[in-house]
Amino acid sequence: MAEDGSDRGSTSKGNGGLSSMDSMESHRWVFQDEENSEIDYEDNGDDDGDDFTLQNDMDSEDEDSLYQKLIRTGPRIDSFGVEALEVPGAHRSEYEDASLGKSIFLVFQTLGVVFGDVGTSPLYTFSVMFSRAPIETNADIIGALSLVLYTLILIPLIKYILIVLLANDDGEGGTFALYSLICRHAKISLLPNQLTSDTRISSFRLKVPSAELERSLKIKEHLENSLTMKKLVLVLVLAGTSMVIADGVVTPAMSVISAVRGLKVAFPAVEQDHVVMISVAYLIILFSVQKYGTSKVGLVIGPALFIWFCSLGGIGIYNLVKHDSSVVKAFNPIHIYYYFKRNPTKAWYSLGGCLLCATGSEAMFADLCYFPVRTIQITFVFLVLPCLMLGYMGQAAYLMDNYGDPQQAFFSSIPDGGFWWVFLIANFAALIASRTMTTATFSCIKQSSAIGCFPRLKIVHTSRKFMGQIYIPVINWFLMASAVLLVCCIASTNEIGNAYGIAEIGVMMMTTFLVTLVMLLIWQINIITVIIFSFFFLGMELLFLSSVLSGIGDGSWIILLFSIVVFLIMCIWNYGSKLKYETEVKKKMSMDVLRQLGCNLGTVRTPGIGLLYNELVKGVPAIFGHFLTTLPAVHSMIIFVCIKYVPVPVVPQNERFLFRRVCSKGYHIFRCIARYGYKDVRKENHQIFEQLLIESLEKFIRREAQERQLESDGDDDDSDFENDPSRVLVGPNGSVYFGVPEGGNVINQYHLPQQPPPMEATTSEASGHTDPELSLENELAFLHKAKESGVVYLMGHGDIRAKKESWFIKKLVINYFYAFMRKNCRRGIATLSVPHTHLIQVAMTYMV
């Protein structure tokens, strides 16, 4: 497949403007062989070619070995000519024309889903910070507060709210959303099933680097031509995603145990074991209600978070008035300098605790799919950030008079008479904060699974109204078990806080790197701005990383080990899936074999439609030959169905299906590629899917017949055009091509093999005088008859095993780890709920 990618890339360059032709224009360019027979079917021999029409960007590998003439015809009817799955308004945003009431509703939901994590950070930030660097003087409190305030301003506000959120992928956030955005603008995806025609999906919304910005072009070329860079970007994306999943474990543990330990303030006799037991009970309740969905739970907990933020602000103002309002001087950053000057080692060590005030920043980006960017920005700037700052200043003001026990700074600073009220709200807010990273984890796993970097799992869509709100049962219970285990093994808030910092800073650094790529490649902003952003934030994050790593021996190594395990799972799945696909490409059937078998395929063809599911987007899968040799008969109509995900959030409904003929009409074999974005919902059952697919195929056949009629009517005009030796070719996208050689535009040489006579040809077809209308009626009648006879799903399960001479590591990875994950992951057929009576399965094992 490496050769495939390089060949295709060189073809695109060689064709220049030809590769940008739009298939929806009124004319197209096609090749003719020496006998003036247009090549219109999928005949790629042993290659990966998808079609010989230029409107598909010449996906064939063998364009350089063709002898054909470039001619101008009417619009080619194939993939984009099919108006499949027409659902009016299906792609309309649910946030368009939001009323005032709807906006308030969204603000409350945003509080409950997005800001729970960062909102509960005052429960533990000063506690962890001053346990790592004990208070010696009031100046230390001012310096620590100044450090916290500017961390809040720099990371959550400037980096995420003002910059990172703008790098969303059509409303999708998270590490994989950034990766898919970059993949659309530079061909750096290692996924082997990508087609050039995927780039014509309207939701790609490409902004091609302009000729004036040579820097963007050079970066794009370097990324596309360097396999090392492609792998490096993917590794960083997988590492960032593994940190997000680890964050989904440590966030519930840290938030809940920090809230519950407030009991020690009211009841000093409460032991740590009691705190752990109550925290475990909270965690079980938390993950049990996760299945009710974001919108349902978010509506309930949104007002509770609003009360929590108001309480933070109110307590902060109370402590400023009562204790020491001079802490407001912490807004002067000079106090950070004084803090480090007095004791550099202690100040550096406290950075690990200070980082916790910015926890939840990545959740704001990962949970972006649930709410509009503007709603998140406004809510943070005008409500969340002011309340957080007041809360931290109030704790600092309290510690100025009472810094004997900074471990319980928040609960100790609560006014008399309001302790239990605030304690209950704090515990409820901690449960909400835990949900924030859980929903972010669900989103990241769905995105990574869609592009082949995570095993397929059951995904439940919890809202009929909002498409992106999901629940993954297996991951939910896995996170619960891991969080409970973490609380039981590491009962210390300080150690869990250090583990929290490791997971959080890892994600932040990956995001900084990817957003820098977005700035260079897509935004194309001034290089000075990019350098300032990358060096400033990467430098600051490396400083935080060095601090949290200094405490890794305290038990926080567990979360790092957890991230490594998740990272290895994703790498193994991606490697095995890629290797399996490449092997299936190498083992696919030759078109010469099909031609030798004839229209009957060397067996009996019974009425009916066979949907053969496979992962190949081009070529005839080897599993089809296994069906031919295993089954006593095959169906009269065969459709190779490939369900694939493309690096976009949503594929518009009218661009869902790609259709193409395989061989000539007499074979009655088609290819169908059903494309989905990583945010698309696949909730249709097998009956609905069959109906939509067959209706789309019928439209494809009708429009193909119309195209043939148009081409037939325009033959004379095309002949005049071909005989003009001084012509200038004008492509359908407006591109002008000069210097075309005389005598038929000889590009290269190819001799098309003689086709066998089509099966069930009519008298007019056999005599060479085909009536287009009669041919169309016959094919539609054939389709309807096959549909009435029934649809059967032919599932080919291809497994891979490492060869005996392979390296031990490869045998271990493929034969055991990947095989185990593939055996226990969700089968593709489970999504359509196909009954066993309509299912035929055949397994094949490939040696790799």
Side-chain angles (χ1 to χ4, degrees):
M1 288 303 297
E3 296 177 0
D4 176 32
S6 61
D7 290 345
R8 193 172 298 140
S10 62
T11 298
S12 178
K13 291 178 184 178
N15 287 335
L18 290 175
S19 64
S20 63
M21 293 183 178
D22 192 342
S23 60
M24 294 301 291
E25 297 290 344
S26 59
H27 292 85
R28 68 185 176 99
W29 301 95
V30 301
F31 286 131
Q32 280 189 341
D33 61 11
E34 291 178 304
E35 298 178 357
N36 293 331
S37 174
E38 183 187 333
I39 303 171
D40 65 340
Y41 54 88
E42 185 176 300
D43 187 357
N44 47 12
D46 294 329
D47 309 307
D48 286 345
D50 192 30
D51 199 298
F52 289 142
T53 57
L54 281 178
Q55 67 91 27
N56 271 327
D57 290 344
M58 290 299 299
D59 287 332
S60 171
E61 293 181 358
D62 289 345
E63 301 108 66
D64 295 335
S65 62
L66 303 176
Y67 172 73
Q68 296 156 342
K69 290 190 285 187
L70 186 64
I71 65 170
R72 190 186 189 199
T73 73
R76 160 82 178 182
I77 300 300
D78 66 355
S79 328
F80 291 96
V82 181
E83 299 172 357
L85 294 173
E86 295 178 352
V87 180
H91 194 47
R92 186 178 63 84
S93 172
E94 58 265 29
Y95 303 115
E96 291 180 0
D97 303 324
S99 62
L100 177 62
K102 180 71 173 294
S103 299
I104 296 174
F105 173 79
L106 286 176
V107 168
F108 277 116
Q109 272 201 321
T110 304
L111 284 173
V113 175
V114 177
F115 296 114
D117 194 358
V118 70
T120 55
S121 60
L123 291 174
Y124 45 76
T125 297
F126 276 148
S127 171
V128 177
M129 198 172 180
F130 291 131
S131 69
R132 297 171 65 93
I135 301 173
E136 295 180 359
T137 64
N138 283 349
D140 290 341
I141 299 174
I142 298 297
L145 175 62
S146 183
L147 199 59
V148 168
L149 293 177
Y150 278 96
T151 301
L152 279 173
I153 292 172
L154 292 174
I155 296 182
L157 178 62
I158 295 179
K159 179 185 174 182
Y160 279 90
I161 292 296
L162 300 182
I163 299 176
V164 174
L165 289 189
L166 300 181
N168 65 86
D169 185 15
D170 195 20
E172 284 287 314
T175 308
F176 267 97
L178 283 174
Y179 180 62
S180 70
L181 183 64
I182 295 170
C183 287
R184 292 211 304 275
H185 290 78
K187 299 176 183 178
I188 66 170
S189 175
L190 293 177
L191 296 177
N193 66 341
Q194 300 304 303
L195 292 173
T196 312
S197 54
D198 292 339
T199 61
R200 296 196 191 91
I201 298 174
S202 58
S203 54
F204 259 68
R205 298 180 183 177
L206 294 181
K207 178 186 176 183
V208 180
S210 60
E212 293 78 15
L213 293 176
E214 185 177 355
R215 166 175 51 85
S216 296
L217 291 171
K218 287 183 178 179
I219 293 172
K220 179 177 183 290
E221 182 179 2
H222 181 65
L223 288 174
E224 292 178 346
N225 295 333
S226 174
L227 182 61
T228 302
M229 286 300 299
K230 293 179 181 179
K231 291 182 178 180
L232 176 62
V233 172
L234 180 61
V235 166
L236 291 176
V237 169
L238 297 183
T241 304
S242 65
M243 289 292 183
V244 171
I245 298 174
D247 219 351
V249 172
V250 73
T251 297
M254 185 65 180
S255 301
V256 169
I257 200 170
S258 298
V260 173
R261 74 191 183 101
L263 284 172
K264 290 185 176 182
V265 175
F267 303 105
V270 172
E271 300 290 339
Q272 184 66 23
D273 291 342
H274 300 150
V275 173
V276 171
M277 291 173 58
I278 297 173
S279 299
V280 169
Y282 274 15
L283 290 172
I284 294 174
I285 295 172
L286 165 71
F287 286 99
S288 297
V289 302
Q290 190 74 39
K291 63 183 178 181
Y292 293 108
T294 301
S295 59
K296 300 181 183 69
V297 179
L299 181 60
V300 175
I301 63 182
L305 253 295
F306 178 76
I307 297 174
W308 165 250
F309 281 111
C310 291
S311 300
L312 278 179
I315 294 171
I317 294 173
Y318 169 82
N319 285 306
L320 284 171
V321 173
K322 181 179 179 180
H323 296 287
D324 193 344
S325 61
S326 65
V327 295
V328 296
K329 62 185 178 182
F331 279 105
N332 187 346
I334 194 66
H335 292 285
I336 299 177
Y337 168 75
Y338 293 151
Y339 185 50
F340 276 86
K341 183 179 179 181
R342 281 191 302 272
N343 194 331
T345 303
K346 185 179 73 172
W348 166 77
Y349 201 58
S350 69
L351 287 175
C354 177
L355 176 64
L356 299 182
C357 72
T359 57
S361 300
E362 188 66 29
M364 292 189 295
F365 185 47
D367 284 329
L368 189 61
C369 60
Y370 298 107
F371 305 102
V373 173
R374 185 57 56 86
T375 301
I376 294 177
Q377 290 175 326
I378 291 175
T379 305
F380 182 83
V381 171
F382 293 104
L383 177 61
V384 176
L385 183 61
C387 291
L388 286 175
M389 287 183 166
L390 285 172
Y392 284 115
M393 287 191 291
Q395 291 185 49
Y398 171 81
L399 291 174
M400 294 286 281
D401 289 341
N402 309 274
Y403 57 82
D405 183 21
Q407 298 298 315
Q408 295 283 4
F410 175 76
F411 287 105
S412 299
S413 65
I414 298 174
D416 296 336
F419 176 83
W420 289 110
W421 170 256
V422 176
F423 175 78
L424 292 175
I425 295 296
N427 277 261
F428 198 62
L431 294 176
I432 297 168
S434 304
R435 293 192 73 261
T436 300
M437 276 312 302
T438 305
T439 54
T441 302
F442 291 161
S443 299
C444 287
I445 288 178
K446 182 178 184 295
Q447 294 171 8
S448 58
S449 178
I451 62 175
C453 293
F454 202 91
R456 293 185 298 269
L457 301 171
K458 180 181 180 181
I459 298 176
V460 179
H461 297 270
T462 58
S463 174
R464 295 179 180 271
K465 189 174 183 181
F466 301 105
M467 182 169 52
Q469 300 184 4
I470 60 173
Y471 165 71
I472 306 178
V474 173
I475 297 299
N476 183 69
W477 303 123
F478 174 70
L479 293 178
M480 185 194 75
S482 301
V484 168
L485 185 65
L486 184 64
V487 168
C488 294
C489 294
I490 309 178
S492 170
T493 306
N494 299 330
E495 293 179 8
I496 297 178
N498 197 66
Y500 201 179
I502 291 176
E504 194 72 23
I505 198 64
V507 184
M508 289 180 180
M509 292 180 67
M510 299 305 111
T511 300
T512 301
F513 173 78
L514 293 175
V515 171
T516 301
L517 272 183
V518 170
M519 288 179 169
L520 290 170
L521 186 65
I522 303 171
W523 291 355
Q524 302 172 3
I525 60 179
N526 189 278
I527 188 66
I528 302 299
T529 305
V530 178
I531 292 174
I532 292 174
F533 171 83
S534 58
F535 276 80
F536 179 79
F537 284 105
L538 275 178
M540 182 174 60
E541 288 159 2
L542 284 172
L543 189 62
F544 279 118
L545 178 64
S546 65
S547 178
V548 296
L549 288 179
S550 65
I552 196 171
D554 297 334
S556 55
W557 57 268
I558 294 179
I559 206 65
L560 189 60
L561 179 63
F562 178 87
S563 301
I564 293 174
V565 170
V566 174
F567 173 76
L568 290 177
I569 289 174
M570 299 175 73
C571 287
I572 291 172
W573 181 262
N574 180 262
Y575 171 72
S577 300
K578 183 173 180 291
L579 190 61
K580 175 179 175 292
Y581 186 89
E582 291 174 349
T583 305
E584 289 182 341
V585 169
K586 294 177 183 177
K587 300 292 185 181
K588 65 185 180 182
M589 289 183 64
S590 170
M591 292 297 297
D592 292 334
V593 174
L594 289 185
R595 283 191 287 268
Q596 291 172 5
L597 292 175
C599 297
N600 288 324
L601 301 176
T603 184
V604 178
R605 302 197 66 170
T606 59
I609 298 177
L611 301 182
L612 195 153
Y613 276 74
N614 67 103
E615 297 179 5
L616 290 184
V617 296
K618 292 176 287 187
V620 180
I623 199 73
F624 181 58
H626 204 37
F627 274 110
L628 292 178
T629 57
T630 304
L631 301 178
V634 295
H635 299 84
S636 57
M637 179 170 287
I638 299 292
I639 303 176
F640 299 139
V641 180
C642 171
I643 295 178
K644 61 172 289 189
Y645 287 87
V646 290
V648 294
V650 177
V651 175
Q653 297 286 5
N654 63 338
E655 299 175 28
R656 175 80 68 214
F657 287 168
L658 302 179
F659 275 95
R660 182 73 38 77
R661 285 190 186 274
V662 180
C663 292
S664 61
K665 288 186 178 182
Y667 282 78
H668 299 292
I669 301 178
F670 297 86
R671 175 178 312 287
C672 172
I673 301 177
R675 303 179 298 181
Y676 292 85
Y678 55 77
K679 189 181 175 182
D680 275 324
V681 180
R682 287 188 56 212
K683 298 179 70 173
E684 66 269 18
N685 57 33
H686 72 100
Q687 291 144 337
I688 297 176
F689 185 82
E690 290 170 12
Q691 180 182 354
L692 293 171
L693 186 145
I694 293 173
E695 288 177 356
S696 302
L697 176 58
E698 182 175 345
K699 293 178 182 179
F700 166 74
I701 293 172
R702 289 183 182 277
R703 297 201 50 182
E704 183 189 47
Q706 295 174 4
E707 159 66 3
R708 296 291 173 244
Q709 184 64 40
L710 287 174
E711 291 179 6
S712 175
D713 294 342
D715 280 345
D716 293 338
D717 293 337
D718 291 335
S719 298
D720 294 339
F721 180 80
E722 286 292 316
N723 292 329
D724 183 3
S726 61
R727 63 191 173 279
V728 175
L729 295 182
V730 181
N733 62 344
S735 302
V736 180
Y737 306 96
F738 299 93
V740 181
E742 296 186 25
N745 297 327
V746 176
I747 296 180
N748 36 37
Q749 185 163 357
Y750 173 76
H751 298 284
L752 187 67
Q754 184 65 34
Q755 283 294 314
M759 182 180 67
E760 300 182 11
T762 62
T763 304
S764 58
E765 289 173 332
S767 62
H769 302 285
T770 304
D771 184 347
E773 293 185 2
L774 182 59
S775 176
L776 173 61
E777 292 177 359
N778 289 339
E779 189 160 18
L780 291 179
F782 189 92
L783 172 62
H784 295 156
K785 180 180 178 182
K787 177 184 177 182
E788 292 172 0
S789 300
V791 177
V792 174
Y793 290 76
L794 308 175
M795 299 297 299
H797 299 296
D799 295 320
I800 56 175
R801 300 279 296 179
K803 296 179 180 178
K804 291 183 178 180
E805 61 271 20
S806 301
W807 289 87
F808 171 76
I809 297 297
K810 183 176 181 180
K811 291 181 180 179
L812 184 66
V813 168
I814 297 299
N815 297 349
Y816 294 96
F817 295 139
Y818 178 72
F820 175 80
M821 287 189 286
R822 186 168 176 82
K823 181 180 179 181
N824 291 278
C825 75
R826 186 172 174 84
R827 297 282 185 177
I829 197 64
T831 306
L832 295 177
S833 303
V834 177
H836 292 290
T837 55
H838 292 193
L839 182 62
I840 299 177
Q841 302 187 66
V842 171
M844 285 186 69
T845 300
Y846 303 103
M847 303 304 295
V848 297

